[in-house]
Amino acid sequence: QNTGIEKSSTDSTSSNKTPTIQGISDGSLSGLSERIDVNFLLRSSVDFPSGASNQASVNLNEARMELRGDVTPDLSFRIRYRLNRSFAQNSLDNAPGAVDHANLTYRFGTGKKWHLTAGKQSASVGSWEFDKNPTFEYQYTEYVNRQLNLFLLAMKLGYDVTENHTFQLQLHNTSNSNFNTIYNTTGYNTDGLRPSKTPFGLYVAWLGNLLDEKWQTFYSYNISQFARGKTDHAVSIGNQVVLDRFKAYLDLQSTNMSVDYPNIGSPAVNTFMAPTPGFTPVFLQDINYKTAVLRVDYEFIPKWFVTAKGFYETASHRKDSEIGDNFREHTGLLAGLEYKPIASQEMRLFSYYYYNTSQYNNAVGVSNPNQKLHLFSVGVLYFVNAL
Amino acid sequence: QNTGIEKSSTDSTSSNKTPTIQGISDGSLSGLSERIDVNFLLRSSVDFPSGASNQASVNLNEARMELRGDVTPDLSFRIRYRLNRSFAQNSLDNAPGAVDHANLTYRFGTGKKWHLTAGKQSASVGSWEFDKNPTFEYQYTEYVNRQLNLFLLAMKLGYDVTENHTFQLQLHNTSNSNFNTIYNTTGYNTDGLRPSKTPFGLYVAWLGNLLDEKWQTFYSYNISQFARGKTDHAVSIGNQVVLDRFKAYLDLQSTNMSVDYPNIGSPAVNTFMAPTPGFTPVFLQDINYKTAVLRVDYEFIPKWFVTAKGFYETASHRKDSEIGDNFREHTGLLAGLEYKPIASQEMRLFSYYYYNTSQYNNAVGVSNPNQKLHLFSVGVLYFVNAL
Amino acid sequence: QNTGIEKSSTDSTSSNKTPTIQGISDGSLSGLSERIDVNFLLRSSVDFPSGASNQASVNLNEARMELRGDVTPDLSFRIRYRLNRSFAQNSLDNAPGAVDHANLTYRFGTGKKWHLTAGKQSASVGSWEFDKNPTFEYQYTEYVNRQLNLFLLAMKLGYDVTENHTFQLQLHNTSNSNFNTIYNTTGYNTDGLRPSKTPFGLYVAWLGNLLDEKWQTFYSYNISQFARGKTDHAVSIGNQVVLDRFKAYLDLQSTNMSVDYPNIGSPAVNTFMAPTPGFTPVFLQDINYKTAVLRVDYEFIPKWFVTAKGFYETASHRKDSEIGDNFREHTGLLAGLEYKPIASQEMRLFSYYYYNTSQYNNAVGVSNPNQKLHLFSVGVLYFVNAL
């Protein structure tokens, strides 16, 4: 029975719910370990990548500290930061990339069905891939890794319709850096675009438990603005199945970006356009990104797990038929084996193989060679609940 | 009754006093929460600044972690650091800007009236504005924000004359970066100045409680050296009134800086002098800074507070009558409303309006346009005592 | 009796042993302070260095946080990081210089005699100087400070032959940055060298307790690779004597480096070669480093300690007889006095004098002037066991 994984493996959504412990006798030491969690997230592996310029290495893949607590039944806080990122603050939000969470949640109203979360927090995006605790997710789609603004300053309002259905509204910064910083980093021409006066976005999300919590839904819609007068739209549909010894998620998403500030598709188009006289690199406008990702975990004999993950992602630029649909395709396949020697502890020895390719099509394909990566990895992960 | 604010709102001065808990049974777990404090300081708001180049944003205004404890009745330690500053060390003191406190306090002598604090600590400067815990102070004067070296490496010797009167001597680094780094950062010409061999300063301070702790004084004098043979002098007079539902401070200061290494007044003078043939930018010598700042807090109905703050600051250069008195004036006005829903927790929802202007006068006024900022902010703050 | 120092002063080796507490009742709060250690390492001093360009300062010499615990009898974790280093990750191992330890140790096999340590950890190098907790070691040899890769990503396998004898095998990254980053940082020419595809090293170490733990051995051999086809070899022989009021270590080492990527000896040779037409700076190939270091501590009257340390280090380049043996000599001498006022606490007031010189001989001596440093220091150190 893999109940051990359930508590720690879902990450962001769990903090939206009402506190597990209702009867907190304030200040009483007997409840210390119930009131507070101190966690340490560790994953370290020996990685052997293919490619002429890649060196094998032992890596600190994940190292994050977490402190969270229920101070009163109405009020909780959460802090989580990475030990391997700079703590220098970003230009727009005054928060560093190292900090995932620095927020408080206040519950109010009849039956404490409403909650407000303020501070740095995870995006309310319908992605079970992102929702999984990073200790346990070896390789990510570009959707999670590069396209989304995962951890952002926001004010989130949630409402528990029933115990199994929650709705969320999240007002957030579109990007954590300001307009000028992003253009200075890439060196791109602004192409006549101006910074939005209110570079905000809004997530609308539904989190549901169906069929006795065996089927979990996380659906979201996002509207946001980066440049003045330019609006982005995104839909994410996440479904997860959790059985006794089997777990799987399937996430689907489609995003229309008026300005490609995540800069995933633009470099290939800029390379293609470079020979044009007078051309300067820009963020592509009116780009569409799509992702489908599936992960399956199965405990085939007690303590032993197989895991498999596959994803397919596309970038399209329909306005320009020469560049056109699916001008960039990004594919990944992962197959791994895990061994969990101690039943009570989320410590696993693992090994996996990962294959990843970026392929360029249509006009863009000529000037952009396809890219491939093979990676073999063997290591250990541990979600430590220190307190 | 706003007694809740008292414990956490005074920040730096509280650590100078003898420990609140005298009977520590060493190592006994029953005293854990009495022996140790784990605090998390959070303030996050949606800020709407005026100005063509400013973008509105949700901000992580404050995010600091604190760990402090009384290990024995004679010995305590304090660590506090920001989660949104780089931890790279400064050039002179080997400590980063992210760390506010990393120190120990040792109490000794008859009745433990003497104390020695070593390590990174807050300056013993007579400023109630600075002494207020940063969770609760929305906007600062330039005196606190730019002129003072707030957190510095020092050795501080204190003596409690009575329970209500403490004197302090604090030997400290004048600046946290060395002479050459500061000049390299600005790119200014040294103008014949050389680094001090002993770039130290000394604070002499009196902390007093008068009229049954209703009137609190924090007066300080500072002498320090940045460049060889050049001495700075500063006087700060801080007064605070604490009543049942009313609190106010009034801080006054005057500083004679032989070299303007805080670089507040110099840029305007350098801009003014720029057209002079052969001129290279320098730190202005013999500058005087003055500040007056008043803040008032009042709980007008239970759980609801109004707060107002105003300050007026000047820079003068009397040696050169063309530049002269008050060539730079810096003014700020803040009015805000706070709601504290849970009596036992220092969590507040707030909203404020802030107006700020820098005005240039005399000869300097011609080449330096005045600057204005309007800011509207709505957010939440929380001083979390996690343990 | 100086038993207080024993627990905290040995640093890295202590974590290799089986847990001190075997009977852990899992999750029981009564055992919290037995299961978990929260430590804060602090050293701060006023330092007066000699030399025209040096400025005296109060320094934060050491500020490190540590969290370690035995989660179950089989599984423990350790995190330690510096508060005064950047947390930006290095190019090869994805871990920052700020993090010393981020690892887990898993004990297994009959009698739990085997242990596996994964993650960032200390090198299994036979150096008592490095093994001493950094709180208590004022000045280091270049061997520890610059030549060794002290904290590295590794997988370590250990076996306790008896209670007093442990053998260790540690597979580790040779360097924490990749080949290209190191060359880019120095700006040196690669001189035809290529990055190793597997830039790994292996430590083989023996840790022994002889004569009723009065004589402690730490001997190690290391083989590693930085550039393709170039192998480095190192032998370290560490001996330590621990008596009731007396403690001393003597470490000896010899290293043959095929490429001098620590860049200790190369700058002097590059300076010497600079006038040669067409010469570009490179890492010297085939260099030998040797170190002898002795430290003695003695509690001459209760609470008062004298400490003395001396070291002598050489760099040789036998392939080129013009540069030759001992072309660089590095010598250090330290004499200090410590006072430990509270018997139960590892807090010490200290003062020491340190003399350090780098001398260049043979052909290299002409173009490289000798360098000297005198340093006087007075300060305080504290190893705080907060929990």
Side-chain angles (χ1 to χ4, degrees):
Chain A
Q1 206 170 347
N2 69 350
T3 48
I5 198 177
E6 289 319 295
K7 277 200 301 187
S8 55
S9 72
T10 38
D11 183 36
S12 305
T13 50
S14 61
S15 70
N16 300 324
K17 301 305 173 63
T18 48
T20 40
I21 301 94
Q22 295 288 350
I24 293 162
S25 46
D26 70 325
S28 85
L29 200 68
S30 60
L32 180 62
S33 63
E34 278 83 46
R35 280 194 301 128
I36 287 186
D37 270 319
V38 177
N39 298 323
F40 169 45
L41 289 64
L42 177 71
R43 194 171 73 242
S44 179
S45 59
V46 193
D47 295 333
F48 298 89
S50 66
S53 64
N54 288 327
Q55 296 188 279
S57 59
V58 195
N59 279 318
L60 189 65
N61 310 88
E62 288 293 340
R64 308 194 197 203
M65 293 290 302
E66 185 170 36
L67 174 66
R68 55 195 297 178
D70 293 307
V71 186
T72 76
D74 298 347
L75 205 48
S76 60
F77 70 95
R78 185 179 189 188
I79 310 161
R80 194 178 77 188
Y81 50 88
R82 308 181 201 199
L83 291 174
N84 53 359
R85 287 293 179 281
S86 168
F87 281 82
Q89 71 271 40
N90 285 317
S91 53
L92 190 70
D93 64 4
N94 198 38
V99 170
D100 296 342
H101 294 269
N103 58 58
L104 66 88
T105 296
Y106 175 49
R107 292 170 207 85
F108 59 97
T110 319
K112 305 291 174 193
K113 289 188 165 188
W114 292 91
H115 61 258
L116 176 75
T117 301
K120 192 152 189 190
Q121 55 195 263
S122 55
S124 282
V125 62
S127 165
W128 289 111
E129 182 190 15
F130 167 49
D131 189 70
K132 198 171 196 78
N133 190 291
T135 317
F136 304 104
E137 194 71 63
Y138 303 107
Q139 297 287 345
Y140 285 99
T141 58
E142 284 187 336
Y143 176 51
V144 169
N145 224 9
R146 297 177 60 190
Q147 186 185 325
L148 285 174
N149 187 3
L150 296 173
F151 299 102
L152 35 67
L153 265 292
M155 301 277 171
K156 183 170 67 182
L157 186 70
Y159 179 68
D160 299 334
V161 183
T162 70
E163 206 169 273
N164 287 318
H165 294 278
T166 300
F167 286 92
Q168 297 179 340
L169 280 179
Q170 188 183 46
L171 176 79
H172 63 88
N173 292 333
T174 300
S175 164
N176 298 340
S177 297
N178 66 29
F179 187 89
N180 292 331
T181 305
I182 289 173
Y183 272 98
N184 289 339
T185 304
T186 55
Y188 286 180
N189 190 293
T190 56
D191 201 17
L193 297 173
R194 287 175 308 157
S196 169
K197 282 297 288 177
T198 51
F200 293 137
L202 184 75
Y203 274 104
V204 184
W206 165 49
L207 278 148
N209 283 315
L210 307 170
L211 306 179
D212 198 22
E213 303 201 14
K214 286 190 179 66
W215 178 20
Q216 300 171 353
T217 60
F218 196 168
Y219 294 4
S220 72
Y221 165 73
N222 183 247
I223 179 168
S224 64
Q225 192 176 64
F226 172 72
R228 204 175 296 185
K230 300 280 182 181
T231 310
D232 304 330
H233 300 271
V235 172
S236 297
I237 296 175
N239 286 285
Q240 186 165 244
V241 171
V242 180
L243 304 178
D244 206 33
R245 295 170 61 172
F246 177 85
K247 192 172 181 179
Y249 64 71
L250 173 66
D251 295 335
L252 304 171
Q253 72 94 7
S254 176
T255 303
N256 283 318
M257 304 213 80
S258 53
V259 182
D260 178 34
Y261 59 89
N263 202 27
I264 301 171
S266 297
V269 176
N270 284 328
T271 301
F272 164 63
M273 300 286 286
T276 314
F279 174 79
T280 52
V282 296
F283 288 130
L284 199 63
Q285 295 194 27
D286 296 309
I287 195 165
N288 175 272
Y289 288 119
K290 282 193 178 61
T291 301
V293 54
L294 172 74
R295 177 171 173 177
V296 175
D297 287 274
Y298 179 54
E299 187 176 8
F300 62 102
I301 48 172
K303 297 185 174 180
W304 289 86
F305 299 79
V306 282
T307 185
K309 184 175 181 175
F311 57 79
Y312 173 68
E313 305 185 89
T314 61
S316 301
H317 184 52
R318 286 164 194 167
K319 214 176 59 175
D320 185 329
S321 62
E322 198 182 12
I323 297 170
D325 264 19
N326 303 347
F327 73 86
R328 185 175 190 274
E329 294 174 296
H330 184 241
T331 314
L333 285 171
L334 183 148
L337 190 67
E338 298 174 334
Y339 171 59
K340 187 186 167 192
I342 305 170
S344 69
Q345 297 297 316
E346 262 310 337
M347 191 271 272
R348 295 177 186 220
L349 308 172
F350 65 84
S351 178
Y352 70 83
Y353 164 78
Y354 176 61
Y355 170 71
N356 173 266
T357 179
S358 301
Q359 187 174 323
Y360 296 94
N361 306 311
N362 313 337
V364 162
V366 181
S367 39
N368 289 279
N370 298 338
Q371 290 171 334
K372 283 182 191 181
L373 174 78
H374 298 269
L375 178 74
F376 176 72
S377 180
V378 52
V380 58
L381 63 82
Y382 190 14
F383 179 94
V384 189
N385 179 229
L387 194 70
Chain B
Q1 205 168 348
N2 69 350
T3 48
I5 198 178
E6 291 318 297
K7 275 200 300 186
S8 54
S9 72
T10 37
D11 184 36
S12 305
T13 50
S14 62
S15 70
N16 301 324
K17 300 304 172 65
T18 47
T20 39
I21 301 95
Q22 294 289 350
I24 292 163
S25 46
D26 68 324
S28 84
L29 199 69
S30 61
L32 180 63
S33 64
E34 278 83 45
R35 279 195 300 131
I36 287 186
D37 270 320
V38 177
N39 298 323
F40 169 45
L41 289 65
L42 177 72
R43 194 171 73 242
S44 178
S45 58
V46 193
D47 294 333
F48 298 90
S50 65
S53 63
N54 287 328
Q55 296 187 281
S57 59
V58 196
N59 279 317
L60 189 66
N61 311 90
E62 288 293 340
R64 308 194 196 203
M65 294 289 302
E66 185 170 36
L67 174 65
R68 54 194 298 178
D70 293 306
V71 187
T72 76
D74 297 347
L75 205 48
S76 59
F77 70 95
R78 184 179 190 189
I79 310 161
R80 193 177 78 187
Y81 52 88
R82 308 180 202 200
L83 291 175
N84 54 358
R85 287 292 179 280
S86 168
F87 281 82
Q89 71 271 39
N90 285 316
S91 54
L92 190 70
D93 64 5
N94 198 39
V99 170
D100 295 344
H101 294 269
N103 59 57
L104 65 88
T105 296
Y106 175 50
R107 291 169 208 87
F108 58 96
T110 320
K112 306 290 175 195
K113 289 189 165 187
W114 292 92
H115 61 260
L116 176 75
T117 300
K120 192 151 188 188
Q121 55 195 265
S122 54
S124 283
V125 62
S127 164
W128 290 109
E129 182 189 17
F130 167 50
D131 188 70
K132 199 172 196 78
N133 190 292
T135 317
F136 304 103
E137 194 71 64
Y138 303 107
Q139 297 286 347
Y140 285 100
T141 57
E142 285 188 335
Y143 176 51
V144 168
N145 224 9
R146 297 177 60 190
Q147 185 185 326
L148 283 174
N149 186 5
L150 296 173
F151 299 101
L152 35 65
L153 265 291
M155 301 276 171
K156 183 169 68 181
L157 187 70
Y159 179 69
D160 298 334
V161 184
T162 70
E163 206 170 274
N164 287 318
H165 293 278
T166 301
F167 285 92
Q168 297 178 340
L169 279 179
Q170 188 183 45
L171 175 77
H172 64 87
N173 292 333
T174 300
S175 164
N176 297 341
S177 298
N178 66 31
F179 186 89
N180 292 332
T181 305
I182 289 173
Y183 271 99
N184 288 340
T185 304
T186 56
Y188 287 179
N189 190 293
T190 55
D191 201 16
L193 296 173
R194 288 176 306 158
S196 169
K197 281 297 287 177
T198 51
F200 293 137
L202 185 75
Y203 273 105
V204 184
W206 165 51
L207 278 147
N209 282 315
L210 306 171
L211 306 178
D212 198 21
E213 304 202 12
K214 286 189 179 67
W215 178 20
Q216 299 170 351
T217 60
F218 196 169
Y219 294 4
S220 73
Y221 165 73
N222 184 248
I223 178 169
S224 65
Q225 193 174 63
F226 171 73
R228 203 174 298 184
K230 299 281 181 178
T231 310
D232 303 331
H233 301 269
V235 173
S236 296
I237 295 174
N239 286 284
Q240 186 164 244
V241 172
V242 181
L243 304 179
D244 206 31
R245 297 170 59 172
F246 178 85
K247 192 171 178 178
Y249 64 71
L250 174 66
D251 295 335
L252 304 171
Q253 72 92 9
S254 176
T255 303
N256 283 319
M257 304 213 80
S258 52
V259 182
D260 178 34
Y261 59 90
N263 202 26
I264 302 171
S266 296
V269 176
N270 284 328
T271 301
F272 164 63
M273 299 287 285
T276 315
F279 173 79
T280 52
V282 296
F283 288 131
L284 199 63
Q285 295 195 27
D286 297 308
I287 197 165
N288 176 273
Y289 288 119
K290 283 193 178 60
T291 300
V293 53
L294 172 73
R295 176 169 174 178
V296 176
D297 286 274
Y298 178 55
E299 188 176 9
F300 62 102
I301 49 172
K303 296 186 175 180
W304 290 86
F305 299 78
V306 281
T307 185
K309 184 175 180 175
F311 57 80
Y312 173 67
E313 304 184 270
T314 61
S316 301
H317 185 51
R318 285 166 195 163
K319 214 177 58 175
D320 184 329
S321 61
E322 199 181 12
I323 298 171
D325 264 20
N326 303 348
F327 73 87
R328 184 174 191 274
E329 292 173 300
H330 183 241
T331 314
L333 285 170
L334 183 148
L337 189 68
E338 298 173 334
Y339 171 59
K340 185 185 167 191
I342 305 169
S344 69
Q345 296 298 317
E346 262 309 338
M347 192 270 273
R348 295 176 185 220
L349 308 172
F350 65 83
S351 178
Y352 70 82
Y353 164 78
Y354 176 61
Y355 170 70
N356 172 265
T357 180
S358 301
Q359 187 174 325
Y360 297 94
N361 306 312
N362 314 335
V364 162
V366 181
S367 39
N368 289 279
N370 298 339
Q371 291 171 332
K372 281 181 193 182
L373 175 78
H374 297 268
L375 178 76
F376 176 73
S377 181
V378 53
V380 58
L381 64 82
Y382 191 12
F383 179 94
V384 189
N385 179 229
L387 195 70
Chain C
Q1 206 169 346
N2 69 348
T3 48
I5 198 176
E6 290 319 297
K7 278 199 300 185
S8 55
S9 72
T10 37
D11 183 36
S12 305
T13 49
S14 61
S15 71
N16 301 324
K17 300 305 172 65
T18 48
T20 39
I21 301 95
Q22 295 288 350
I24 293 164
S25 46
D26 70 324
S28 84
L29 199 69
S30 60
L32 181 62
S33 62
E34 278 83 45
R35 281 195 301 128
I36 287 185
D37 270 320
V38 177
N39 298 323
F40 169 45
L41 288 65
L42 176 72
R43 194 171 72 241
S44 178
S45 59
V46 194
D47 294 333
F48 298 90
S50 66
S53 64
N54 288 327
Q55 296 187 281
S57 59
V58 195
N59 279 318
L60 190 65
N61 310 89
E62 288 293 339
R64 308 194 196 202
M65 293 289 302
E66 185 170 36
L67 173 66
R68 57 195 297 179
D70 293 306
V71 185
T72 76
D74 297 347
L75 205 49
S76 60
F77 70 95
R78 185 179 190 189
I79 309 160
R80 193 177 77 187
Y81 50 89
R82 309 181 200 198
L83 291 175
N84 53 359
R85 287 293 179 279
S86 168
F87 281 82
Q89 71 270 39
N90 285 316
S91 54
L92 190 70
D93 63 4
N94 198 38
V99 170
D100 295 344
H101 294 269
N103 59 57
L104 65 86
T105 296
Y106 175 49
R107 290 170 208 86
F108 59 97
T110 320
K112 304 293 174 192
K113 288 189 165 188
W114 292 90
H115 61 260
L116 176 75
T117 300
K120 192 152 188 190
Q121 56 196 264
S122 53
S124 282
V125 61
S127 164
W128 290 110
E129 181 189 17
F130 167 49
D131 189 70
K132 199 172 196 77
N133 190 292
T135 317
F136 305 103
E137 195 70 65
Y138 302 107
Q139 298 287 344
Y140 284 100
T141 57
E142 285 187 335
Y143 175 52
V144 169
N145 224 10
R146 298 177 59 189
Q147 186 185 325
L148 285 174
N149 187 4
L150 296 173
F151 299 101
L152 33 69
L153 264 293
M155 301 277 170
K156 183 171 68 182
L157 186 70
Y159 179 68
D160 298 334
V161 184
T162 69
E163 206 170 272
N164 287 318
H165 293 278
T166 301
F167 286 91
Q168 297 179 339
L169 279 180
Q170 188 183 46
L171 175 78
H172 64 88
N173 292 332
T174 300
S175 165
N176 297 341
S177 297
N178 65 31
F179 186 89
N180 292 331
T181 305
I182 288 173
Y183 272 98
N184 288 340
T185 305
T186 56
Y188 287 179
N189 190 293
T190 56
D191 201 17
L193 296 173
R194 288 176 306 158
S196 170
K197 281 297 288 177
T198 50
F200 293 137
L202 185 75
Y203 273 105
V204 183
W206 164 50
L207 278 148
N209 282 315
L210 306 170
L211 308 178
D212 198 22
E213 303 200 14
K214 286 190 177 68
W215 178 21
Q216 299 171 351
T217 61
F218 197 168
Y219 294 4
S220 72
Y221 165 73
N222 184 247
I223 178 167
S224 65
Q225 191 174 65
F226 172 71
R228 202 174 298 184
K230 298 282 182 178
T231 311
D232 303 330
H233 300 270
V235 173
S236 295
I237 296 175
N239 285 286
Q240 186 164 244
V241 172
V242 181
L243 305 179
D244 206 33
R245 297 170 59 173
F246 176 85
K247 192 171 179 177
Y249 64 70
L250 173 66
D251 294 336
L252 305 171
Q253 72 93 8
S254 177
T255 304
N256 283 318
M257 305 212 80
S258 52
V259 182
D260 178 35
Y261 60 88
N263 202 25
I264 303 172
S266 296
V269 176
N270 284 328
T271 301
F272 163 63
M273 300 286 286
T276 313
F279 174 79
T280 52
V282 295
F283 288 130
L284 199 63
Q285 294 195 26
D286 297 308
I287 197 165
N288 175 273
Y289 288 118
K290 282 192 178 63
T291 301
V293 53
L294 172 73
R295 177 169 173 179
V296 176
D297 287 274
Y298 178 55
E299 188 176 8
F300 61 102
I301 48 173
K303 297 183 174 183
W304 289 86
F305 299 78
V306 281
T307 185
K309 184 175 181 175
F311 57 79
Y312 173 68
E313 304 184 89
T314 61
S316 300
H317 185 51
R318 285 165 195 165
K319 214 177 59 174
D320 184 329
S321 62
E322 198 181 11
I323 298 171
D325 265 18
N326 303 347
F327 72 87
R328 185 174 190 273
E329 293 174 298
H330 183 241
T331 314
L333 286 170
L334 183 149
L337 190 68
E338 298 174 334
Y339 171 59
K340 186 186 168 191
I342 305 169
S344 70
Q345 296 298 315
E346 261 311 334
M347 191 271 273
R348 295 176 186 222
L349 308 172
F350 65 83
S351 177
Y352 70 82
Y353 164 79
Y354 176 60
Y355 170 71
N356 173 266
T357 181
S358 300
Q359 187 174 325
Y360 297 94
N361 306 311
N362 313 338
V364 163
V366 181
S367 39
N368 288 279
N370 297 339
Q371 290 171 332
K372 282 182 192 181
L373 175 78
H374 298 267
L375 178 75
F376 177 72
S377 180
V378 53
V380 58
L381 63 83
Y382 190 13
F383 179 94
V384 189
N385 180 229
L387 194 69

